[in-house]
Amino acid sequence: MGEFNEKATCGTVCLKYLLFTYNCCFWLAGLAVMAVGIWTLALKSDYISLLASSTYLATAYILVVAGAVVMVTGVLGCCATFKERRNLLRLYFILLLIIFLLEIIAGVLAYAYYQQLNTELKENLKDTMTKRYHQPGHEGVTNAVDQLQQEFHCCGSNNSQDWRDSEWIRSGEAGGRVVPDSCCKTVVAGCGQRDHASNIYKVEGGCITKLETFIQEHLRVIGAVGVGIACVQVFGMIFTCCLYRSLKLEHY
């Protein structure tokens, strides 16, 4: 019996240090997850106003929340491990399970949106650009379109001819422009009055192709981070169950 207790104690100590090491890595992983979510929201959200669906935004928010909870959970896991409190280990396991589900959801949403992105952009981007550009209450869309065309060197949803359907161009408020000034290779006031290839960007596939590639790259990052960290959490849940069982055996 004494030999059994000695082995159990030795196993418990090993599990404690293993779980502590895991929690340190887990805390850093939570920081990374939250950083990816914040990076998406703060630096890569300029084009969200051009998307009809809020799925891209939702995946980023899920990562921010999951990352914050992961960091808190990592601290809780360290406390539960060294204090050998089974009730804290239960809470820790439940939080791990919740985070696991959140990150799987983020990964699945990112993958699903990745598949439908092309269809959504083809159906909505042209209408968004032509009907909301330079319209009252849509300053965010105007800024996003201007940045999109300048950053990716494109003009119009499919091509520069799309701007002929623009409500802003047709209204006369455009000052004789046939495309926005942001289409120009060198932006100066009124440069959009001439749509010759020497003056504006004429890219095959237009801005749809550029925006689709940009968002797909970020969806791959979001999906990979979400699913990757979720898989790592499986080991944490296994370690927690083993330590809980070991403490339970020692208690009896």
Side-chain angles (χ1 to χ4, degrees):
M1 186 69 176
E3 185 181 349
F4 174 78
N5 287 334
E6 186 178 338
K7 288 182 179 178
T9 302
C10 182
T12 300
V13 170
C14 290
L15 282 170
K16 281 172 61 177
Y17 282 102
L18 188 60
L19 194 55
F20 178 78
T21 303
Y22 170 84
N23 277 306
C24 291
C25 297
F26 190 51
W27 189 90
L28 292 173
L31 184 62
V33 169
M34 189 165 64
V36 169
I38 293 174
W39 168 71
T40 302
L41 293 172
L43 300 178
K44 305 298 178 182
S45 63
D46 302 316
Y47 306 127
I48 288 176
S49 59
L50 301 178
L51 303 175
S53 170
S54 59
T55 307
Y56 180 66
L57 189 62
T59 55
Y61 275 121
I62 288 174
L63 284 186
V64 172
V65 172
V69 177
V70 163
M71 294 176 71
V72 173
T73 303
V75 175
L76 176 64
C78 290
C79 294
T81 300
F82 279 98
K83 289 188 176 183
E84 298 185 2
R85 298 283 297 275
R86 287 185 295 159
N87 56 339
L88 285 179
L89 283 173
R90 280 195 295 267
L91 178 59
Y92 175 67
F93 180 86
I94 291 169
L95 287 175
L96 278 181
L97 185 59
I98 291 171
I99 299 165
F100 175 81
L101 294 174
L102 279 175
E103 289 173 343
I104 288 294
I105 289 170
V108 169
L109 283 175
Y111 178 78
Y113 191 53
Y114 183 94
Q115 299 299 315
Q116 71 181 49
L117 181 62
N118 180 267
T119 302
E120 178 185 310
L121 289 177
K122 284 181 178 178
E123 291 177 352
N124 299 292
L125 186 59
K126 181 180 178 181
D127 282 347
T128 299
M129 293 175 75
T130 57
K131 294 180 180 179
R132 297 182 184 178
Y133 185 79
H134 262 299
Q135 299 302 306
H138 295 294
E139 290 78 12
V141 171
T142 302
N143 294 333
V145 169
D146 286 338
Q147 183 173 337
L148 175 68
Q149 296 189 141
Q150 274 296 295
E151 184 174 348
F152 294 114
H153 298 169
C154 57
C155 183
S157 177
N158 299 291
N159 52 59
S160 60
Q161 303 300 314
D162 290 341
W163 286 110
R164 293 181 178 180
D165 300 324
S166 168
E167 294 184 5
W168 175 63
I169 297 292
R170 289 179 171 183
S171 68
E173 297 178 4
R177 295 177 178 83
V178 288
V179 295
D181 291 344
S182 57
C183 282
C184 300
K185 296 177 179 179
T186 302
V187 178
V188 294
C191 66
Q193 294 175 352
R194 193 167 68 93
D195 62 353
H196 191 270
S198 62
N199 182 51
I200 67 170
Y201 295 113
K202 287 183 177 285
V203 181
E204 185 177 349
C207 292
I208 277 185
T209 304
K210 300 287 187 177
L211 183 58
E212 181 183 5
T213 302
F214 172 82
I215 293 180
Q216 282 181 339
E217 287 174 355
H218 291 92
L219 286 173
R220 280 196 290 268
V221 172
I222 291 172
V225 168
V227 174
I229 299 299
C231 291
V232 172
Q233 285 175 234
V234 173
F235 293 102
M237 289 188 279
I238 293 172
F239 294 153
T240 304
C241 289
C242 291
L243 181 57
Y244 182 86
R245 183 174 179 275
S246 180
L247 290 174
K248 188 174 181 180
L249 287 173
E250 285 185 8
H251 179 72
Y252 290 113

